[in-house]
């Protein structure tokens, strides 16, 4: 016999038996006389339903619904249906008000049939609606790494929530609740935005933002909240230079120059990049130097005789701008102190920078005219002085005299000019032989001012014309 739920009258056993006997006698009397009203079986008013977690191993409970006719007993029978809720059949032995789901129910639906009985008969079974699809046994979500937020907390910028890491039975779905906090990240309240992304508004400026992520599966749900962002700032501006870049260092071949980026305004962070420029001797007609894109630059021989600039570009999330330094001095050649690069590419040094073991050398001599036509015309001689490294030497003292002394005049010492040449003018004398093939021998000496004519870096040479 199916298990029953019995209505209780509140009378004791003996009293109940006596009352039942009296009621039966009275019924017979009234029935015999034809004066009693006809009775009826229970009538359904609200359908049965099932409550509980729809998962393997969980217990479901049947509610018998609402009935008219004062039922005294309820019988239950659980049925298993397919995943669409049809094709239902009785589950053997499942005839109690409660039913524990098993593995056979996973992927299917269940329902319960209820039969109500009173003294006048029974009605049923009446079936509840099928449950949802029964889930396999599992665990509810649990957070193991907090959610996080990426993006710039700034007016009109978009923030994106990362779910964090969760354990629990799949599938897990996620929902989001963005919150606005005070500047310290406390006193947070819901903004009303539930998507995974959030666009910062002017209302958020001065506040911090965080997001609560809720993970849910068939076994339950849990929430975890991210750390708060930095304080949201107002909408940003592109960089603008307020003080142009500058260059430090010596503009010379093989020497390192350093760019100072200047001063910039605009929304931080502002990143600076560099491009060095080679200009003409006036600092104009500048062109980018290939590969010279660092904050420092070492001069090369190609830069000698030119001026250099550096162009600095400031860039942030809102744009970029470029500012260019003033030009350096003209780049000189590497060498001793005071070395300069001449237009013809040679390096000129002052005689004061020449010291032993380097020496002076008279490297070239040019006479004009190349042959002496008469004793009346002067002869111009030019002598070039260099040092042992081949640099032309300026300000060296050059003395030249004919040998023997009665052939030409003996001019005073003269200094070499910037390109290392000294010019001496001779006037022929009566002792100069004028026959074809005769030679004039010239004694030439170059020395450093202040040194003995016979010592130091001085040099001597005999030449003929």
């Amino acid at each position: 016999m199916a298990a029953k739920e019995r209505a209780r009258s509140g009378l004791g056993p003996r009293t109940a038996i006596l009352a039942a006997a009296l009621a039966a006698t009275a019924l017979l009397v009234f029935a015999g006389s034809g004066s009693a009203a006809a009775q009826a079986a229970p009538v359904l008013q609200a359908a049965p339903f099932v409550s509980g977690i729809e998962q393997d191993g969980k217990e479901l409970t049947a509610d018998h619904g609402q009935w008219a006719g004062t039922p005294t007993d309820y019988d239950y029978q659980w049925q298993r249906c397919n995943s669409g809720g049809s094709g239902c059949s009785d589950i053997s032995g499942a005839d109690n008000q409660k039913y524990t789901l098993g593995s056979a129910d996973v992927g299917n639906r269940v329902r319960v049939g209820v039969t109500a009985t009173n003294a006048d008969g029974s009605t049923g079974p009446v079936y509840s609606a099928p449950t949802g699809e029964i889930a396999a046994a599992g665990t509810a979500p649990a957070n193991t790494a907090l959610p996080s937020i990426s993006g710039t907390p700034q007016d009109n910028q978009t923030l994106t929530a990362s779910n964090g890491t969760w354990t629990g039975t799949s599938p897990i779905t996620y929902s989001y609740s963005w919150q606005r906090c005070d500047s310290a990240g406390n006193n947070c309240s819901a903004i009303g935005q539930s998507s995974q992304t959030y666009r910062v508004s002017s209302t958020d400026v001065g506040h911090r933002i965080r997001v609560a992520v809720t993970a849910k599966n068939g076994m339950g749900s849990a929430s975890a909240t991210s750390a708060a962002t930095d304080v949201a700032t107002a909408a940003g501006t592109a960089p603008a230079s307020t003080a142009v870049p500058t260059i430090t260092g010596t503009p010379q071949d093989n020497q390192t120059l350093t760019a100072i980026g200047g001063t910039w305004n605009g929304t931080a962070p502002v990143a600076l990049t560099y491009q060095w420029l080679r200009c003409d001797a006036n600092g104009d007609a500048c062109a980018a130097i290939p590969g010279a894109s660092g904050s420092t630059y070492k001069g090369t021989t190609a830069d000698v005789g030119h001026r250099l600039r550096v162009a600095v570009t400031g860039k942030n999330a809102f744009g970029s701008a470029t500012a260019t330094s003033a030009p350096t001095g003209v780049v000189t050649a590497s060498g001793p102190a005071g070395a300069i690069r001449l237009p013809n590419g040679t390096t000129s040094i002052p005689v004061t920078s020449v010291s032993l073991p380097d020496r002076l050398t008279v490297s070239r001599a040019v006479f004009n005219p190349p042959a002496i036509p008469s004793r009346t015309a002067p002869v111009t001689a030019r002598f070039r002085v260099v040092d042992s490294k081949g640099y032309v030497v300026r300000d060296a003292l050059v003395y030249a005299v004919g040998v023997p002394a009665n052939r030409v005049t003996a001019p005073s010492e003269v200094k070499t000019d910037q390109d290392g040449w000294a010019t001496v003018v001779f006037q022929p004398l009566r002792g100069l032989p004028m026959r074809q093939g005769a030679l004039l021998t010239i004694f030439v000496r170059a020395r450093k001012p202040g040194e003995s004519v016979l010592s130091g870096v001085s040099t001597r040479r005999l030449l003929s014309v």
Side-chain angles (χ1 to χ4, degrees), residues 128-210:
S128 68
T131 64
E133 190 171 314
I134 306 304
T139 58
N143 181 257
T144 57
L146 290 176
S148 60
I149 297 173
S150 61
T152 303
Q154 188 173 69
D155 183 17
N156 207 39
Q157 297 296 303
T158 297
L159 304 178
T160 300
S162 172
N163 295 328
T165 306
W166 300 81
T167 60
T169 302
S170 297
I172 298 176
T173 60
Y174 300 95
S175 58
Y176 309 89
S177 176
W178 292 87
Q179 300 172 2
R180 182 182 297 118
C181 311
D182 61 24
S183 60
N186 303 318
N187 303 312
C188 304
S189 58
I191 296 173
Q193 174 68 287
S194 58
S195 67
Q196 191 172 1
T197 60
Y198 174 67
R199 185 176 290 276
V200 181
S201 71
S202 58
T203 306
D204 301 314
V205 174
H207 297 263
R208 296 177 185 262
I209 307 296
R210 69 182 189 180

Side-chain angles (χ1 to χ4, degrees), residues 247-252 255-258 328:
I247 298 174
T248 62
T250 302
Q252 188 177 69
Q255 296 297 308
T256 298
L257 302 177
T258 300
T328 64

Side-chain angles (χ1 to χ4, degrees), residues 18-333:
L18 178 60
L22 292 173
T25 303
L27 180 60
L28 291 171
V29 172
F30 284 113
S33 65
S35 60
Q39 299 297 307
V43 177
L44 180 70
Q45 294 183 322
F49 63 90
V50 176
S51 61
I53 298 175
E54 299 163 354
Q55 181 191 344
D56 181 14
K58 301 296 184 181
E59 186 177 73
L60 301 180
T61 300
D63 186 292
H64 53 63
Q66 299 295 322
W67 298 81
T70 315
T72 56
D73 296 301
Y74 297 100
D75 292 333
Y76 301 88
Q77 178 58 56
W78 292 85
Q79 291 189 330
R80 182 180 296 120
C81 311
N82 61 28
S83 60
S86 60
C88 305
S89 60
D90 290 351
I91 302 172
S92 177
D95 54 6
N96 292 312
Q97 187 179 9
K98 296 182 181 294
Y99 172 64
T100 300
L101 294 164
S103 59
D105 300 312
V106 174
N108 297 307
R109 300 173 186 266
V110 297
R111 69 180 185 178
V112 67
V114 177
T115 299
T117 302
N118 65 12
D120 296 296
S122 298
T123 301
V126 178
Y127 291 97
S128 68
T131 64
E133 190 171 314
I134 306 304
T139 58
N143 181 257
T144 57
L146 290 176
S148 60
I149 297 173
S150 61
T152 303
Q154 188 173 69
D155 183 17
N156 207 39
Q157 297 296 303
T158 297
L159 304 178
T160 300
S162 172
N163 295 328
T165 306
W166 300 81
T167 60
T169 302
S170 297
I172 298 176
T173 60
Y174 300 95
S175 58
Y176 309 89
S177 176
W178 292 87
Q179 300 172 2
R180 182 182 297 118
C181 311
D182 61 24
S183 60
N186 303 318
N187 303 312
C188 304
S189 58
I191 296 173
Q193 174 68 287
S194 58
S195 67
Q196 191 172 1
T197 60
Y198 174 67
R199 185 176 290 276
V200 181
S201 71
S202 58
T203 306
D204 301 314
V205 174
H207 297 263
R208 296 177 185 262
I209 307 296
R210 69 182 189 180
V211 65
V213 177
T214 298
K216 184 178 181 180
N217 63 11
M219 279 56 73
S221 63
S223 296
T225 303
S226 72
T229 65
D230 293 335
V231 174
T233 59
T237 57
S241 173
T242 58
V244 297
T246 56
I247 298 174
T248 62
T250 302
Q252 188 177 69
D253 177 18
N254 206 40
Q255 296 297 308
T256 298
L257 302 177
T258 300
I260 308 301
T263 305
W264 299 80
N265 61 17
T267 302
V270 176
L272 301 181
T273 57
Y274 303 85
Q275 178 60 60
W276 291 84
L277 310 172
R278 182 182 296 124
C279 312
D280 62 22
N282 296 319
D284 302 321
C286 303
I289 302 172
S293 57
S295 60
T296 61
Y297 174 71
K298 181 177 285 190
T300 69
T301 55
D303 301 316
V304 174
H306 296 265
R307 295 177 186 264
L308 301 175
R309 295 178 186 259
V310 66
V312 178
T313 298
K315 184 177 182 180
N316 65 9
F318 306 96
S320 63
T322 300
T324 304
S325 71
T328 64
V330 174
V331 178
T332 60

